[in-house]
């Protein structure tokens, strides 16, 4: 314990010095983050890192100097996720206004459950969700929604609410009272749809994966065929999760055709736009989400394409009040009905969570700072860079594209084929050797610390690189660097 | 957009100035937080607050000065949750080391799903969960766990894993393949047990509420009776959620007796110690959790009694590997099996979430700073203050205690009876007038901005104040102040 830090008497001086020292360290880290001459990562294997420092927790306190050293060490081994050459995840970048807003959020240290204890943040959630619904195209921005801890939970909410809408008795009676439900989503959709079905007691077997076309888009006629088939088998189709921006290919499912089918068979239409939602900001690219306005619910993660610091995920719901009916438990110690203000602002009972982290302020403040046009410019730039990469490698020696055609999102999927494999016949041996290329190059990237990009197998396709660009700091030179670095690290394989 | 902030070329100067200006504002706020002469809250009704400022989002960017003004406004209307006279929730206080750690977390801006992108934080989660399991009393700290977005989700995880343990086929087949399950918890338990049952497709009717004694503790013989009854009716009891520190009364269920029953009937025993878990840090008070070492899972929220900034909630599970089997979906784009490091550190697939916020660093750093003994001292002090309050009001004119006896936790529940009601007969009219007293005093507290404390009805008991103390900044003078303030604001009622 530090008897000398606030709230200790006369603790102000020591506290201000300590906090300022931490901030100086963070400001240095911010500057290094954007400096291309620093490493993205100073990689250590787990065992090495465990031994590199004493991380143990003990009975006795450490000195303030020790604490500053801890902070320094944590930053030394951290990944610079805002580095212009960090391409590893859908969430990259470090927005300065977003960062400032997150610092403020930590300092305000409150909880979203009631207006009583988070008046500003509750209002900003209201204002921002409405704006997001307007951008989806729901008349007057009407509807409902919530910020949740990530896209997987937003998708789980959608499935939960869809089930409740069709069978409200499920809340009290459970699945035992219901017929056998089935949900549909493309074979390229995010794993959270299945994870949600498992958790909700629906079961992964009841998630029917619909075939996608060669570019990763759900095939509507296949969806309809499987819906009819499921009905004939006595199942009740209740939920279709279309994807706007798949995780690997960046594909946009044909939402209008899916909406027609959902309407015809009276099935809840959800759009998982966790990754693609940001494109609604762009006049040039928003057509890819045409039909999202006909959805019953939409997941949209501003922490991905919009560069908002983690975490920031919204679930938007077209019908107002449904979330509340589905999840409310009327806890009398939180949601007292005889409060002195308008209770419609006590939104906490809509959530599965009780306490809920404040994720709204960073998004709201960034939106104020950039305006919609600022988000548009940074998103358009990322898509332009993806096309630049695609054009640069599509005919380049040593590269094979996983899918044909211009990228739909910023995902560019490709194999790097080292010289030793270039003249081999396309047989099993080549496949099994090609499979090992990306993991080795990735390991070398991390050991060198120069860049990071993800790889994975997909269906029958062996390991390939999945490049994604969501960091406004990335520039043409970083794309050029990535290509040269892959070649440098992989040419001997 | 700010072409002049980083990552813009030569943006360093503008960026450092901007971030420092925000920090100066935050440091001022921190100092004011602990200053008893400032208000806890500058209250505005929702409509007033909506109109007090232009909160709208627009197409066009704002200037940096505008952004600073936004920050200033957000802080102006915020609740000072670290103020020594803010007693409204179980999470209060503002720890300086925790705050610094949260600022660092925002700056590192990464995600818990793999070691690859969060090496330090993944290791610290490992170290800290192990330490927490040691404190629960599991041999060698063995077992499993995860940090989740709040106690409600931790409790939901527990129920999910318990169900999977007994019926692993539920993951694929859903609840349709299972017999009718029932869960048990006390009538005083947290609403998240029911919320979880609704979400998981079990249904709230299948949560059997067990009678508690006059101090709010589950009655073990009642539990056993209801288990037998449920079995006779053909239900399968699978889950008992005992509470260590109930939300309103702060009661600790008799865990040893409950453990015996769970063992006898082979039922998963969960302990919801979201609120009471912190007492494990105290030599003086940890006996209240005796028997928690026999649980299969424990929820423990360091963001409550330990004063860690929001959010920080852990679910601890005795059996290793179960969370992974229950939740994993093997997403090949994240959890590649041919990575170059030890894959047991890629813990993300244990979670229901995909992306997961970094909640560990603030807890770890605070633990380093205080040591276990530091936490112990601050927790003991809060309990001592609760006893001080209890002793002060138990015989004071105008006060009635809701339950007899010394507080078990820091919860002190009482009615303030204004002079006009003191000599009334104990009849319906008195009850209906007493019911209105706490809401009016609370509204006046908020309008005056001097202090905040929660109230609620409970069972047949009309609105009473529930005082809780978790803020190390609170002192005897603040308890004295609270009493005088209630009397000042309520004497005319």
């Amino acid at each position: 314990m530090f008897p000398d830090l606030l709230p200790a008497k006369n603790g102000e001086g020591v506290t201000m010095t300590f906090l300022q020292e931490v901030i100086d360290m963070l400001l240095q880290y911010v500057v290094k983050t954007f400096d291309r001459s620093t490493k993205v990562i100073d990689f250590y294997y787990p065992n090495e890192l465990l031994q590199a420092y004493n991380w143990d927790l003990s009975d006795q306190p450490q000195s303030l100097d020790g604490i500053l050293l801890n902070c320094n060490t944590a930053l030394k081994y951290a990944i610079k996720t805002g580095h212009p050459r960090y391409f590893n995840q859908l969430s990259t970048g470090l927005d300065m206004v977003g960062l400032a807003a997150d610092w403020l959020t930590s300092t305000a240290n409150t909880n979203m459950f009631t207006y009583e204890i988070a008046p500003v943040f509750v209002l900003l959630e209201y204002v921002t969700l409405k704006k997001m619904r307007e951008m989806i195209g729901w008349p007057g921005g009407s509807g409902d929604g919530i910020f949740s801890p990530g896209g997987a939970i937003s998708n789980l909410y959608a499935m939960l609410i869809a089930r409740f809408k069709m069978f409200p008795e499920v809340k009290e009676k459970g699945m035992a009272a219901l017929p056998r439900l089935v949900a549909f989503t493309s074979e390229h959709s995010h794993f959270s749809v299945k994870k949600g079905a498992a958790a909700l007691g629906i079961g992964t077997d009841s998630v029917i994966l619909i075939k996608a076309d060669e570019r990763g888009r759900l095939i509507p006629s296949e969806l309809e065929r499987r819906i009819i088939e499921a009905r004939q088998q006595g199942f009740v189709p209740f939920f279709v999760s279309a994807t706007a921006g798949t995780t690997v290919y960046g594909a946009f499912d044909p939402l209008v055709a899916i909406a027609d089918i959902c309407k015809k068979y009276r099935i809840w239409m959800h759009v998982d736009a966790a990754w693609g939602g940001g494109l609604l900001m762009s006049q040039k690219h928003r057509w890819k989400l045409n039909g999202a306005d006909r959805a019953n619910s939409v997941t949209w993660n501003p922490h991905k394409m919009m560069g908002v610091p983690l975490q920031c995920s919204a679930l938007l719901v077209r019908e107002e009040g449904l979330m509340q009916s589905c999840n409310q438990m009327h806890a009398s110690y939180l949601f007292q009905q005889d409060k002195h203000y308008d209770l419609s602002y006590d939104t906490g009972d809509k959530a599965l969570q009780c306490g809920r982290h404040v994720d709204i302020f960073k998004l709201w403040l960034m939106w104020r700072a950039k305006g919609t046009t600022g988000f548009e410019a940074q998103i358009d730039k990322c898509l332009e860079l993806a096309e630049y990469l695609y054009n640069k490698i599509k005919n380049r020696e040593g590269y094979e594209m996983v899918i044909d055609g211009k990228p739909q999102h910023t995902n560019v999927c490709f194999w790097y084929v080292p010289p030793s494999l270039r003249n081999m016949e396309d047989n099993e041996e080549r496949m099994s050797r090609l499979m090992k290329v990306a993991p080795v190059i990735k390991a070398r990237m991390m050991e060198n610390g120069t860049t990071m990009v993800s790889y994975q197998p997909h269906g029958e396709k062996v390991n390939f690189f999945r490049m994604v660009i969501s960091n406004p700091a990335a520039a043409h030179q970083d794309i050029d660097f990535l290509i040269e670095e892959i070649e440098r690290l992989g040419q001997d394989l």
Side-chain angles (χ1 to χ4, degrees), chain A residues 119-275:
Chain A
V120 176
F121 301 132
V122 164
L123 289 189
L124 296 185
E125 187 172 73
Y126 171 81
V127 166
T128 308
L129 287 171
K130 184 160 184 286
K131 182 79 182 176
M132 292 173 87
R133 289 188 302 259
E134 280 171 17
M135 302 204 69
I136 289 171
W138 292 338
S142 70
D144 214 331
I146 203 166
F147 282 84
S148 95
I153 302 293
S154 291
N155 287 341
L156 182 144
Y157 269 119
M159 197 181 268
L160 178 66
I161 297 165
R163 178 175 71 179
F164 176 78
K165 171 72 179 172
M166 196 177 271
F167 299 103
E169 64 271 31
V170 70
K171 186 173 177 179
E172 287 83 27
K173 307 281 173 213
M175 288 295 287
L178 270 52
R180 291 292 299 271
L181 305 183
V182 277
F184 303 84
T185 192
S186 115
E187 56 182 344
H188 284 244
S189 70
H190 191 258
F191 68 87
S192 55
V193 179
K194 279 193 156 188
K195 219 167 216 187
L200 300 184
I202 293 165
T204 55
D205 287 353
S206 296
V207 178
I208 296 180
L209 297 183
I210 306 299
K211 209 169 143 27
D213 68 16
E214 69 294 343
R215 301 206 58 187
R217 295 168 298 204
L218 178 145
I219 301 170
S221 59
E222 280 294 305
L223 172 64
E224 185 162 18
R225 185 176 71 75
R226 299 298 296 273
I227 290 172
I228 294 169
E229 190 180 277
R231 280 160 52 125
Q232 282 166 349
Q233 290 165 355
F235 293 98
V236 177
F238 81 110
F239 186 72
V240 170
S241 181
T243 312
T246 60
T247 313
V248 178
Y249 286 4
F252 287 82
D253 286 345
L255 303 181
V256 171
I258 294 171
D260 288 341
I261 295 170
C262 287
K263 189 179 172 197
K264 183 169 170 189
Y265 296 97
R266 297 179 178 219
I267 304 174
W268 183 283
M269 176 180 173
H270 174 62
V271 176
D272 177 1
W275 173 225

Side-chain angles (χ1 to χ4, degrees), chain A residues 215 385-407 412-415 417 479 483 487:
Chain A
R215 301 206 58 187
L385 279 180
E387 208 172 317
Y388 173 78
L389 170 63
Y390 168 75
N391 286 327
K392 200 155 170 173
I393 60 175
K394 68 178 172 186
N395 298 317
R396 188 181 178 101
E397 193 181 353
Y399 289 84
E400 277 177 38
M401 305 311 293
V402 173
I403 44 176
D404 289 331
K406 229 169 72 164
V412 181
C413 297
F414 60 89
W415 288 281
V417 185
I479 305 296
I483 296 171
E487 292 173 354

Side-chain angles (χ1 to χ4, degrees), chain A residues 468-484:
Chain A
V468 280
I469 305 161
S470 59
N471 186 352
H476 292 96
Q477 59 166 297
D478 302 305
I479 305 296
D480 296 341
F481 176 84
L482 177 79
I483 296 171
E484 285 156 26

Side-chain angles (χ1 to χ4, degrees), chain A residues 312-332:
Chain A
C312 190
S313 169
L315 177 75
L316 295 313
V317 181
R318 198 166 55 189
E319 182 176 333
E320 208 179 333
L322 202 53
M323 292 197 80
Q324 182 83 12
S325 321
C326 177
N327 290 322
Q328 72 188 351
M329 290 290 155
H330 302 290
S332 62

